[in-house]
């Protein structure tokens, strides 16, 4: 039900609009002056506000400006008995959807409200679409690192089921975007994707946020409020930082995951949760269970399918690719003519350890795009910490990474550090440059015709590792 807030200092006008709009099936809230209207908007929300122009204290234009500061998507209709062109122009300039002249006609009011609601819905839909497209443009999930390819393959495999998925990994590694990726590939992709940041909500609010509440459940609960399980119906509910949920709430969450049932706060009706739950945490879940902070039975319910999201340090070869995609995105977003990065900037980015993961890289690239004065981002445009990095090659792998992938990453990191000088890279690795060329042909990153002839190998370049295996 769409909610219309009427702000008018004259009671007969408020009551007339209340009766008219209620007959049309709208939920109506009334306010006797501007400040009361703003309080109700902040506390209860509204889709459309109808405000009188001439009121003591805050007039209609003041109310309009304040509403747009609170929520720019709320559509405001200004009503006035002094329907001059100047008033209409001023109101529209301040962001009003329309101006209606008194005496009001029922058909005009209904038509204007319906169109205002359509405009609001379109704006919200466009905003959601832009956000989704922005995430795709940012490329947070792209990459050729074996660890990331394995994660995406696993997500694609489980997406069509309704099994609970637990995403683990460091903060900023992209767990939220990965949850969205899973939702978009699931059978529930046409339903909503709803996020709950469990760590950001105090225990006193978490239950009502998850399950909603009934009118009268507590002081200030003047009407029923839907919870996140309600809002996510037929879609996906993403519980971010799920290990931060207090023990009392863990019991209630366990019941939903186990039986699919819950009650709103203050309610007696048992409701059914038609949602797919995806949870995430940056903590060691086994350690949380051992310490008694996470219930063991809840852990088993969350841990049906577990996906470990690699940190950016564990997919270092993806840093340049991600950086270029972020630059492209933020250049468009900020209207900057930045076309890429210099080799020195790429080297500095690759050398950094990225403790903040993909989120840190994203922020660094947005900063660089905004501060860049040329067509390409150079080292001086990067954050100070990156500029101070010593540029030593970084090499990290996950336990269980196949030895051939370890060898490839070791060679590619060293070649990158040596600015493409394979002879120097081979010397640092204790192998021959012929081995590097041969491996690159095997990986498909070099054409077979570019292979070094055996006679081209410098004498004395062979080492104790002349069999060509970096890992031997």
């Amino acid at each position: 039900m769409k909610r219309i807030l009427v702000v008018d200092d004259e009671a007969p006008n408020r009551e007339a609009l209340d009766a008219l709009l209620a007959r049309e099936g709208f939920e109506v809230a009334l306010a006797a002056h501007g400040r009361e209207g703003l309080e109700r908007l902040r506390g209860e929300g509204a889709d459309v506000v109808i405000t009188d122009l001439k009121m003591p204290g805050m007039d209609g234009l003041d109310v309009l400006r304040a509403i747009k500061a609170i929520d720019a998507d709320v559509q405001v209709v200004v009503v006035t008995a002094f329907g001059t062109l100047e008033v209409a122009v001023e109101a529209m300039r301040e962001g009003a959807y329309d101006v209606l002249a008194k005496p009001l006609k029922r058909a005009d009011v209904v038509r204007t409200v319906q169109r205002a609601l359509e405009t609001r819905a379109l704006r919200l839909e466009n905003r959601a679409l832009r956000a989704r497209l922005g995430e795709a443009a940012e490329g947070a999930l792209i990459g050729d690192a074996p660890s990331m390819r394995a994660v995406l393959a696993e997500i694609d495999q489980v997406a069509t089921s309704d099994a609970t998925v637990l995403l683990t990994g460091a903060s900023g590694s992209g767990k939220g975007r990965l949850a969205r990726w899973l939702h978009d590939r699931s059978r529930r992709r046409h339903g909503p994707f709803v996020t709950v940041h469990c760590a950001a909500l105090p225990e006193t609010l978490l239950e009502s946020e998850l399950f909603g509440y009934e009118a009268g459940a507590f002081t200030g609960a003047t009407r029923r409020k839907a919870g996140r399980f309600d809002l996510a119906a037929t879609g996906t509910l993403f519980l971010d930082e799920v290990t931060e949920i207090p023990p009392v709430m863990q019991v209630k969450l366990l019941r939903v995951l186990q039986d699919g049932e819950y009650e709103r706060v203050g309610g007696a009706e048992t409701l059914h949760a038609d949602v797919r739950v995806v949870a995430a945490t940056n903590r060691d879940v086994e350690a949380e269970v051992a310490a008694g902070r996470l219930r063991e039975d809840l852990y088993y319910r969350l841990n049906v399918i577990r996906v470990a999201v690699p940190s950016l340090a564990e997919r270092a070869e993806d840093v340049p690719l991600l950086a270029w995609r972020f630059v492209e995105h933020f250049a468009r977003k900020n209207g900057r003519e930045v076309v890429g990065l210099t080799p020195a900037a790429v080297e500095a980015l690759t050398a950094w350890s990225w403790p903040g993961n993909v989120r840190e890289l994203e922020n660094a690239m947005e900063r660089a795009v905004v501060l860049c004065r040329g067509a390409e981002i150079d080292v001086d445009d990067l954050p100070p910490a990156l500029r101070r990095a010593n540029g030593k090659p970084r090499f990290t792998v996950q336990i269980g990474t196949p030895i051939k992938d370890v060898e490839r990453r070791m060679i590619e990191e060293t070649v990158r550090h040596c600015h493409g000088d394979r002879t120097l890279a081979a010397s640092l690795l204790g192998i021959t440059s012929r081995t590097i060329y041969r491996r690159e042909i095997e990986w498909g990153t070099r054409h077979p015709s570019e292979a070094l002839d055996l006679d081209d190998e410098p004498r004395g370049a062979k080492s104790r590792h002349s069999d060509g295996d970096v890992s031997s």
Side-chain angles (χ1 to χ4, degrees), residues 275-287:
V275 301
R276 200 259 184 89
V277 173
V278 178
T281 181
N282 61 3
R283 295 185 180 274
D284 182 332
V285 283
E286 283 77 14

Side-chain angles (χ1 to χ4, degrees), residues 198 206 210-211 229 237 239 242-243 245-262 275 277 279 294-295 298 301-302:
C198 301
L206 186 57
L210 286 176
F211 306 121
F229 275 97
L237 180 65
L239 301 176
V242 68
T243 51
I245 294 179
V248 173
M249 280 302 303
Q250 290 183 25
V251 177
K252 298 184 178 182
L253 177 59
L254 175 63
R255 181 191 174 203
V256 183
L257 295 178
Q258 208 162 247
D259 305 323
E261 297 179 344
Y262 66 99
V275 301
V277 173
L294 178 65
R295 290 178 60 97
L298 177 59
R301 283 292 172 181
L302 292 172

Side-chain angles (χ1 to χ4, degrees), residues 2 4 26 47-48 112-121:
K2 300 302 181 182
I4 314 300
F26 297 117
D47 297 292
V48 174
T112 300
V113 169
Q114 288 175 339
R115 289 177 178 174
L117 288 169
E118 291 170 1
T119 298
R120 173 176 167 80

Side-chain angles (χ1 to χ4, degrees), residues 149-191:
R149 289 203 306 269
V151 165
L152 296 180
E154 188 174 6
I155 288 295
D156 284 339
Q157 184 176 352
V158 305
T160 54
S161 74
D162 265 354
T164 302
V165 176
L166 177 62
L167 304 174
T168 59
S171 295
S173 56
K175 298 187 293 296
R177 290 191 177 98
L178 196 59
R180 165 68 77 172
W181 176 282
L182 188 155
H183 171 75
D184 289 343
R185 282 153 181 75
S186 73
R187 294 179 298 181
R188 295 175 175 269
R189 58 185 173 275
H190 299 299

Side-chain angles (χ1 to χ4, degrees), residues 407-456:
E407 180 186 59
R408 177 174 179 174
R409 292 181 61 181
M410 187 183 297
I411 290 175
E412 289 180 336
E413 286 281 354
T414 307
V415 170
R416 186 182 297 117
H417 176 63
C418 296
H419 306 284
D421 187 336
R422 285 157 179 77
T423 301
L424 176 58
S427 176
L428 291 174
L429 290 169
I431 59 175
T432 65
S433 54
R434 181 179 58 211
T435 298
I436 295 179
Y437 278 82
R438 190 169 70 244
R439 288 290 187 265
E440 289 176 335
I441 292 170
E442 292 173 2
W443 301 329
T445 58
R446 179 175 293 278
H447 193 275
S449 63
E450 298 180 80
L452 284 179
D453 194 275
L454 288 177
D455 294 335
D456 293 336

Side-chain angles (χ1 to χ4, degrees), residues 142-151 310 314-318 409:
I142 64 173
D144 294 324
S147 58
M148 198 62 191
R149 289 203 306 269
V151 165
E314 293 168 329
R315 47 185 293 219
E317 57 265 61
D318 289 341
R409 292 181 61 181

